Amino acid sequence: MILVLVTHDRGTVEETSFQALTLGRSIADDLGESLEAVWIGDQGGDSALLGEYGVGTVHHVTHEGLDDYGPEAWGTALGQLVESINPNAVVAIGSDRGNEVMAHLGAITGLPMVANIREAAPGETWRVTRTRWGGSLFEETGLDAPIKLLTVTEHAFEARPADVATNPEIAAFEPDLADEHFVTKIVDRVVTTGGMTLATAPVVVSGGRGVGSPEGFGPLEELASLLGGVVGCSRVVTNNGWRPHSDQVGQTGTVVAPDLYIACGISGAIQHWVGMMASKTIIAINTDAEAPMVTKADYAVLGDLQNVVPAIVKELKSRQGG
Ligand SMILES: Cc1cc2nc3c(=O)[nH]c(=O)nc-3n(C[C@H](O)[C@H](O)[C@H](O)COP(=O)(O)OP(=O)(O)OC[C@H]3O[C@@H](n4cnc5c(N)ncnc54)[C@H](O)[C@@H]3O)c2cc1C
């Protein structure tokens, strides 16, 4: 059996979890095994939605302390479930949360955990390809373990529902947790962006050093709002204190995959590129025709963003009737 951890935040599923379910199903199909899912905590949990991805059984892990996320508690609870049901592999998405819980699971069980894979070929020794160095190289490795622990690189797969939906059985599981398992827990939440988040927005208008100042982001904000998106930025921008780190796209920021990514005054260094290369359409606005962002983008506008962005804003406004 292949078990997929569905990561969520107080009931709101991490969308990329469906990518892990898609890979989990493909492995289960290859091996002729069942696909099962684990949902930790009381909140939410849409078994019909998991059924669309072909899940046969949802293991629902409940405990009074699991009202919010805690890495040790999730890892310990998952470890106890794994001991009880003995899956062939446990798969989670390679988000911060997915990787954190699976790392705890690996440490608790002593099993090797392979992070951020993009391919898995089961066999006596499983061959897995994983993303290294922020996506600039792929590593092929062998995995030999009684239970394989894997996380899946975000956006390496498109989430694809099963051809035939299932009606999952719900199996309740109560882990044995004590105070020591709740050493790290969420005690406060501060909303930094209203509504849409950088990770989920369909359009990201991103600015780099070329924007020049915090005030320079005004026209980018306007453009993002006209397109129904949000503003992102490069690390130079956060290093300069022009925007908060929560806006940073890239290896050490947020990984995004919007329908449209507009890179304004961003050179396209590899550490930035790996954070947005899965965008469906990329437009670069840059003065340098040789900048990697320009040469790799789907479309490029060569020019000063101080002129180009306001011109696009003006045109969009006139099309939208002022
Ligand atoms: C370990 C590590 C992790 C990193 N993580 C990240 C990360 O997560 N995200 C990230 O972004 N970076 C990251 N970096 C930094 C990365 O290597 C680059 O330094 C950074 O992305 C460059 O930012 P930039 O493109 O804004 O600036 P620059 O590289 O300086 O590029 C500015 C661009 O703006 C153009 N430009 C200038 N003026 C204008 C104008 N008026 N109109 C139009 N174009 C103009 C220039 O032609 C140039 O292409 C990381 C680096 C390391 C070592």
Side-chain angles (χ1 to χ4, degrees):
M1 167 239 304
I2 305 300
L3 180 69
V4 176
L5 169 68
V6 180
T7 46
H8 65 91
D9 187 54
R10 290 184 304 175
T12 305
V13 181
E14 281 192 303
E15 274 298 314
T16 48
S17 266
F18 296 112
Q19 298 165 12
L21 276 168
T22 304
L23 179 71
R25 190 180 65 241
S26 138
I27 298 174
D29 287 349
D30 277 359
L31 292 170
E33 295 186 10
S34 62
L35 175 67
E36 305 194 358
V38 47
W39 179 276
I40 298 176
D42 280 340
Q43 324 87 336
D46 184 342
S47 59
L49 189 54
L50 299 181
E52 285 178 24
Y53 283 81
V55 171
T57 301
V58 179
H59 298 274
H60 188 193
V61 179
T62 55
H63 182 282
E64 58 182 6
L66 293 171
D67 55 338
D68 208 333
Y69 175 69
E72 294 94 346
W74 277 46
T76 306
L78 186 55
Q80 292 174 9
L81 176 72
V82 163
E83 200 184 333
S84 142
I85 64 174
N86 194 29
N88 188 347
V90 186
V91 180
I93 193 64
S95 59
D96 288 348
R97 194 160 284 192
N99 275 330
E100 185 173 40
V101 175
M102 293 295 281
H104 276 279
L105 179 63
I108 290 164
T109 57
L111 291 164
M113 174 245 186
V114 183
N116 299 324
I117 66 160
R118 47 192 314 113
E119 263 179 60
E124 201 168 322
T125 295
W126 286 32
R127 306 301 309 171
V128 291
T129 307
R130 64 190 191 120
T131 310
R132 299 291 309 271
W133 292 97
S136 53
L137 69 90
F138 299 151
E139 174 193 88
E140 281 189 11
T141 192
L143 174 60
D144 226 338
I147 302 176
K148 291 90 192 159
L149 308 186
L150 307 167
T151 65
V152 182
T153 302
E154 287 191 289
H155 307 296
F157 298 90
E158 213 175 306
R160 215 169 7 86
D163 294 336
V164 182
T166 51
N167 184 15
E169 184 186 321
I170 309 294
F173 183 82
E174 275 186 47
D176 185 13
L177 298 175
D179 286 352
E180 73 204 58
H181 300 123
F182 294 97
V183 176
T184 315
K185 59 184 192 184
I186 295 173
V187 292
D188 194 14
R189 286 164 185 266
V190 179
V191 177
T192 50
T193 45
M196 234 178 304
T197 68
L198 183 58
T200 57
V203 177
V204 176
V205 179
S206 214
R209 194 195 305 271
V211 175
S213 66
E215 298 72 36
F217 277 85
L220 276 68
E221 292 276 7
E222 211 176 352
L223 179 57
S225 137
L226 282 165
L227 295 173
V230 298
V231 166
C233 68
S234 73
R235 176 153 144 178
V236 164
V237 168
T238 51
N239 281 353
N240 284 347
W242 299 348
R243 305 283 300 185
H245 181 260
S246 54
D247 284 359
Q248 185 183 311
V249 172
Q251 183 185 335
T252 46
T254 301
V255 175
V256 300
D259 294 333
L260 177 62
Y261 190 86
I262 307 182
C264 310
I266 298 178
S267 60
I270 187 68
Q271 297 88 355
H272 187 87
W273 180 255
V274 296
M276 41 62 70
M277 64 185 179
S279 307
K280 295 201 178 58
T281 302
I282 298 168
I283 301 178
I285 302 174
N286 204 304
T287 45
D288 178 5
E290 302 299 321
M293 185 63 82
V294 173
T295 57
K296 292 188 199 166
D298 298 296
Y299 302 94
V301 181
L302 291 180
D304 188 333
L305 68 91
Q306 318 280 1
N307 303 325
V308 177
V309 176
I312 301 172
V313 166
K314 191 170 164 215
E315 177 64 22
L316 283 174
K317 277 185 172 167
S318 82
R319 287 191 193 188
Q320 292 176 5

